[in-house]
Amino acid sequence: MFKATRTFPGLLLQYMGLALLALVLNFFLLRLAPGSPLLSLEQAEVVTALSDEQRQRLLSLYGLDKPLWMQFVDYLGRLLRADLGSSLYYNQPVSTVVWPYLERTLLVVGLGFVPAALLGLGLGLFSALNHRKPWERSLLAMLVVLQSLPPFLIALLLLLALAVLWPVFPAVSTLLPGQGPLDRLERLALPVLAYVLWEVGLFYLFARGAFLSVLGEDYLAYARAKGLPESLVIRRHLLRAALPPLVARTALILSASFGGVFFIEAVFSYPGLSSLSLIAIARFDYPLLEGIFLLTLSTILLFNLFADWLVLRLDPRVAEGM
Amino acid sequence: MSKAAVLCALVPLLLLGLGLVLPKAEAVHPPFSPPGAGLLLGADDIGQDVLRVLAHGTVTTLGVGFAAGVLATLIGVLVGGSAGYWPRLEAPLTRLTDLVLAFPRLPLLILLALYLKPNPLNAVVILALFGWPSTARTLRPAVAGLREAGYAQVARTLGASGLYVLFRHVLPQITPLLMVNLLLEIRFALVAQTGLAFLGLTDPSQPSWGLMLFQAFQQNQTFTTSYWLWTVLPPAVALTLTVLALSLPLLGDERRLDPRLRREP
């Protein structure tokens, strides 16, 4: 029988490898991509025609004239000093540019995650306790369908329903300079709602499965047989056994959801990380793009590591390789 | 449930047929014309017949989704099947699968798309490279459970090679599981392709549902006038129906609903 080596040092090693791979891909893929940062300067007609000498000076200013591997070494050195470089387009340090956008993305995730998780876990428990009733089948079918829709489609359908056909919310969630999303709650509503609808099905399926598998255990039948009231059976036996692994997996869902938020934001033109990266892509702003992807990737990897560690701690079956 | 799935599949399949028959859309109509006689779905911002764009987009979208899904399933079968059948390969292949599965695939997909501006062909390859681990992960235990089955042992005793036993005796036993995985892989590829196109990260000369949505979102009057009715709604409805057609057959199989096997973006 295959023995999984699921230990914390093993996990850490695996994630360090992944992080290094991410760094390398992040750096080289962008450098090998067609286009150049000078191209966008020329297109912007700030500089209509650069002389060869000016071009050279600009390139060496940003260190773009060195061979690729030396640029990579420079890059690693800067990362060690926690310096993400400065954006070519905004002419400001990358961290200064990225921070407000990252904040707004985290706001959507934060506001959407808790209701989605609570609703999903609640519905899952309810569904498991009423297993095999006809309406439970319909609830299951509904949430399976919802869960199968990609995030940008959910966002798009919401946009069509609640901003175009029945315009209760603005279709576009852009913000004026100096405005925070909390000043314009109606612009935050649709992205958050889309996030909740997209995630709730996944939480529900996880929870329903976990509760159902515990409900099938003999010790639950025993607890009922010895005459414990149903509420105590649920609280002491069902929740205590099913919740810890569920909580751990919730962390996994959270980290996976960063990808979906990207699309939801794009549908509503919400000024989060996705709109910033689309700007950076259009301008060939390498340092900015690298900063965005580095932050996104490391956030996701850290969350994954945390979630895997939680699973290990809370669900001994995983550690035993079952 | 499968009746409903067939019903949902009718629309995309009809569009696919149209796409294979109709000539390519040309910019010959007045831009932004609403639907009317001869122009069932109106015209877009450069005066192309939206129905033709939609039909040709269906060919790309379904084609990429289907091809990438099949390729991903094949890789998954090879990796997961080998890991399950040969005990010596189990540890390294499982580790490889977990590694790819643990990598945040969406940011990486975007990075790759940025680099390649995928035409349909390399989109298929990229999406397949991201899709296979979930199939490999489901198949390994299923194959491992069957490798010591009586008929497999008999076949080996008669001198059959490992590959022969795997493909001739073991895999046919888990055909339903394979089919379900194929649907999931196609769904993933199709959705990911549409998402990337929606962000404007695919080849702009290849019409697809995602690209249609991207282009409609570029226009200022899309949602302030009724322009969205014939440019946003048709691809959105086609995508919804396709996703439903690919998801509804899964409802019957409750085991597949366990999301622990997947890490979805």
Side-chain angles (χ1 to χ4, degrees):
Chain A
M1 184 60 205
F2 169 65
K3 282 259 278 289
T5 45
R6 303 287 279 181
T7 58
F8 187 65
L11 269 182
L12 206 61
L13 210 66
Q14 181 188 334
Y15 275 96
M16 275 161 62
L18 281 176
L20 192 68
L21 190 66
L23 269 184
V24 171
L25 281 173
N26 191 3
F27 182 85
F28 285 101
L29 275 182
L30 283 179
R31 289 301 186 288
L32 294 172
S36 118
L38 291 189
L39 203 67
S40 70
L41 271 183
E42 283 169 8
Q43 275 169 354
E45 289 171 31
V46 179
V47 205
T48 33
L50 291 169
S51 71
D52 279 350
E53 186 208 353
Q54 283 170 319
R55 188 186 304 269
Q56 209 48 47
R57 236 193 7 243
L58 270 176
L59 283 176
S60 71
L61 178 65
Y62 295 112
L64 294 171
D65 56 342
K66 296 184 194 165
L68 214 51
W69 66 270
M70 284 200 26
Q71 290 185 37
F72 186 61
V73 172
D74 284 355
Y75 171 66
L76 287 183
R78 276 191 286 117
L79 280 187
L80 285 179
R81 282 176 272 125
D83 171 10
L84 291 173
S86 67
S87 157
L88 303 178
Y89 175 59
Y90 289 97
N91 208 6
Q92 277 177 332
V94 165
S95 40
T96 321
V97 176
V98 170
W99 182 243
Y101 290 87
L102 181 65
E103 226 175 25
R104 288 191 283 257
T105 294
L106 289 177
L107 190 67
V108 173
V109 176
L111 286 179
F113 182 73
V114 177
L118 289 180
L119 192 63
L121 295 185
L123 282 175
L125 178 63
F126 197 56
S127 198
L129 291 174
N130 295 289
H131 189 40
R132 289 188 204 291
K133 290 192 182 149
W135 61 262
E136 196 263 337
R137 300 293 303 174
S138 349
L139 182 69
L140 174 69
M142 235 167 60
L143 281 155
V144 168
V145 166
L146 192 63
Q147 186 264 148
S148 69
L149 296 180
F152 68 91
L153 187 58
I154 292 182
L156 186 61
L157 296 176
L158 263 184
L159 174 87
L160 293 182
L162 292 182
V164 180
L165 275 182
W166 185 41
V168 259
F169 292 106
V172 179
S173 299
T174 48
L175 298 166
L176 295 172
Q179 264 181 350
L182 291 176
D183 303 329
R184 306 294 303 267
L185 279 178
E186 79 279 8
R187 305 209 155 186
L188 196 59
L190 282 185
V192 172
L193 189 58
Y195 181 91
V196 172
L197 283 181
W198 168 54
E199 286 291 59
V200 74
L202 202 57
F203 283 116
Y204 167 81
L205 288 180
F206 263 122
R208 183 176 175 276
F211 290 131
L212 274 181
S213 70
V214 174
L215 279 171
E217 298 279 353
D218 288 342
Y219 62 80
L220 224 80
Y222 175 70
R224 279 185 181 140
K226 77 183 178 192
L228 273 189
E230 190 64 16
S231 63
L232 270 186
V233 174
I234 292 174
R235 225 177 335 151
R236 265 199 213 151
H237 295 281
L238 179 61
L239 289 185
R240 188 163 292 177
L243 270 189
L246 265 179
V247 168
R249 296 214 163 81
T250 302
L252 270 184
I253 300 184
L254 179 60
S255 78
S257 75
F258 278 95
V261 170
F262 209 85
F263 291 108
I264 292 175
E265 287 181 356
V267 171
F268 297 109
S269 317
Y270 180 78
L273 277 186
S274 88
S275 76
L276 185 65
S277 37
L278 291 178
I279 295 173
I281 288 168
R283 306 281 172 188
F284 298 105
D285 194 338
Y286 294 157
L288 184 55
L289 262 183
E290 270 164 20
I292 296 169
F293 279 108
L294 199 70
L295 282 176
T296 321
L297 286 173
S298 44
T299 311
I300 296 178
L301 284 176
L302 272 178
F303 265 109
N304 275 348
L305 177 63
F306 174 66
D308 273 343
W309 174 76
L310 264 183
V311 172
L312 266 184
R313 284 296 304 272
L314 297 176
D315 193 350
R317 283 169 299 180
V318 174
E320 284 156 21
M322 278 169 70
Chain B
M1 275 308 151
S2 56
K3 240 183 249 164
V6 172
L7 224 59
C8 288
L10 280 182
V11 173
L13 287 179
L14 185 73
L15 286 172
L16 181 71
L18 276 180
L20 295 172
V21 180
L22 284 179
K24 269 210 147 65
E26 279 171 52
V28 290
H29 304 282
F32 305 109
S33 343
L39 264 183
L40 271 181
L41 287 179
D44 63 10
D45 56 309
I46 56 167
Q48 290 175 323
D49 180 350
V50 174
L51 182 63
R52 285 198 198 174
V53 180
L54 183 69
H56 282 277
T58 308
V59 178
T60 316
T61 307
L62 293 188
V64 168
F66 194 77
V70 170
L71 189 59
T73 309
L74 274 179
I75 303 177
V77 166
L78 281 180
V79 175
S82 315
Y85 191 80
W86 287 286
R88 209 186 302 168
L89 292 177
E90 194 161 19
L93 287 182
T94 307
R95 176 146 302 179
L96 177 74
T97 310
D98 282 350
L99 199 76
V100 181
L101 213 55
F103 206 83
R105 56 181 171 183
L106 205 101
L108 199 65
L109 257 178
I110 292 174
L111 260 183
L112 275 172
L114 201 61
Y115 164 47
L116 293 168
K117 271 278 174 188
N119 58 29
L121 189 69
N122 50 32
V124 167
V125 177
I126 297 177
L127 293 172
L129 285 181
F130 279 91
W132 65 267
S134 46
T135 295
R137 197 179 233 201
T138 351
L139 277 196
R140 186 188 58 81
V143 170
L146 289 175
R147 80 177 159 223
E148 298 305 331
Y151 51 85
Q153 287 187 1
V154 169
R156 274 195 297 268
T157 318
L158 289 173
S161 70
L163 270 179
Y164 182 85
V165 179
L166 180 59
F167 278 92
R168 201 58 204 262
H169 295 296
V170 175
L171 287 179
Q173 292 291 322
I174 47 174
T175 315
L177 187 64
L178 274 177
M179 285 299 130
V180 168
N181 265 293
L182 182 65
L183 285 184
L184 284 172
E185 294 285 9
I186 293 176
R187 191 177 83 187
F188 163 74
L190 197 141
V191 162
Q193 195 264 353
T194 309
L196 288 179
F198 174 64
L199 292 180
L201 295 176
T202 53
D203 182 354
S205 67
Q206 282 290 339
S208 67
W209 295 343
L211 189 69
M212 290 177 76
L213 293 173
F214 170 72
Q215 284 163 345
F217 268 70
Q218 300 289 91
Q219 301 298 323
N220 285 329
Q221 75 265 50
T222 300
F223 292 111
T224 50
T225 65
S226 54
Y227 184 54
W228 66 274
L229 271 176
W230 63 92
T231 50
V232 175
L233 204 56
V237 168
L239 181 64
T240 311
L241 290 175
T242 311
V243 171
L244 287 182
L246 291 170
S247 308
L248 289 177
L250 308 177
L251 258 181
D253 188 357
E254 232 181 274
R255 278 166 309 158
R256 275 309 306 177
L257 296 178
D258 188 346
R260 269 171 289 189
L261 296 167
R262 285 179 283 139
R263 275 188 198 176
E264 279 296 75

